[in-house]
Amino acid sequence: MATPLIAVLDYGIGNLRSAQKALEKVGADARLTSDAAVVRAADATVLPGVGNFGACMSALRASGLSDLVYERVECGKPFLGICVGMQMLFESSEESPDVAGLGVIRGAVRYLPDTVKRPQMQWNRLHIRCADDVFAGLPAEPWMYFVHSLHCVPVDSSRVVATTSYGCEVAAAVRQENVIAVQFHPEKSATDGLTLLRNFVTTVRA
C-alpha cells in the first residue's frame, strides 16, 4: 500500500483540518469527510476534536458519524482519536454529565485537579509506559503539546500506554486493540508529533 487512505471525520466542529494537513505531510491520502462511503473505503480513521465534550458529541451524533465510529472500530482497521476525540471514546465526562460518550473504551473523563491552572495549555513530557508502534523512533520522554481541562480515566489502567504529569498522573495515550487515542495534539507537536503521526501511517500501510 503506497499511499493509505485515511478518513478524518468531519462533524462540523472545531479546527479539524489541521489533523488532515499533518497526516498529508507524513505521507497519507488524508481526507476530511462526512461521506460514509469514503469512511468505509478508508484504510484508517481519525476522530479529532477540540472544545466542549457535550457539543462535540452532539455534533458527531447529528452528523450521523457516530455509528460509523463503532463500525470502523469493530472492523479492526487502525483508528486514532485526538484530544476531545480521545475523550469521546469514553463512556462519560464530568464536563457534560448528561451527555453519553461513545463508550468504546470503558471509563470516564474527569477534570484536572483544581490545584493546577486549567486548561493545561503547554508543552509537556510524555512518560512512555510500554512499547507501541506509534512511539517508534521517539525520544525516551518526547515533548507534546497539550490543551485540555479534563483527562481520561479508563477502568482498565493497562490501557494507558503513556502518561504526563499535570497536577496528577494524566493518561496521555491509551491503546485498545486497533484503537490508539492521545490527549495531546500531535499535529501541533513539531517533530515528535509528526513522528508519531508518521508511525501511525506506517502501521496503516503495513
Side-chain angles (χ1 to χ4, degrees):
M1 186 189 303
T3 306
L5 172 60
I6 298 180
V8 181
L9 299 183
D10 182 6
Y11 53 100
I13 191 167
N15 180 18
L16 308 180
R17 192 168 294 280
S18 59
Q20 176 210 5
K21 293 297 184 186
L23 287 161
E24 286 180 342
K25 186 171 183 176
V26 296
D29 176 7
R31 302 185 195 178
L32 185 61
T33 183
S34 58
D35 186 327
V38 173
V39 176
R40 289 188 174 113
D43 303 299
T45 307
V46 176
L47 176 61
V50 293
N52 177 272
F53 177 92
C56 286
M57 280 304 314
S58 296
L60 185 70
R61 290 193 167 109
S63 70
L65 291 171
S66 55
D67 288 341
L68 276 175
V69 170
Y70 296 120
E71 185 180 313
R72 301 307 292 168
V73 168
E74 290 169 7
C75 81
K77 291 187 176 181
F79 190 102
L80 170 64
I82 297 175
C83 196
V84 178
M86 172 184 180
Q87 296 178 8
M88 289 192 288
L89 294 172
F90 283 72
E91 296 171 295
S92 63
S93 173
E94 290 182 345
E95 186 174 35
S96 306
D98 297 328
V99 179
L102 292 164
V104 170
I105 301 171
R106 292 189 62 211
V109 183
R110 307 198 184 283
Y111 276 105
L112 294 167
D114 57 14
T115 54
V116 292
K117 182 179 179 181
R118 298 194 305 236
Q120 174 179 204
M121 189 179 297
Q122 64 179 30
W123 293 83
N124 208 338
R125 287 186 182 273
L126 291 193
H127 309 295
I128 297 172
R129 278 189 172 184
C130 55
D132 192 286
D133 289 344
V134 297
F135 301 141
L138 286 172
E141 293 188 331
W143 289 92
M144 298 292 178
Y145 188 71
F146 290 79
V147 182
H148 65 119
S149 295
L150 299 98
H151 65 113
C152 299
V153 184
V155 169
D156 182 355
S157 62
S158 71
R159 300 292 185 199
V160 180
V161 293
T163 63
T164 195
S165 298
Y166 191 73
C168 64
E169 186 177 67
V170 173
V174 296
R175 163 71 76 178
Q176 181 169 286
E177 297 172 347
N178 58 308
V179 176
I180 182 77
V182 298
Q183 182 59 70
F184 51 89
H185 286 275
E187 75 279 10
K188 297 179 181 178
S189 297
T191 301
D192 287 347
L194 288 178
T195 296
L196 185 143
L197 290 177
R198 186 176 292 107
N199 289 339
F200 178 71
V201 172
T202 298
T203 65
V204 177
R205 190 178 280 120

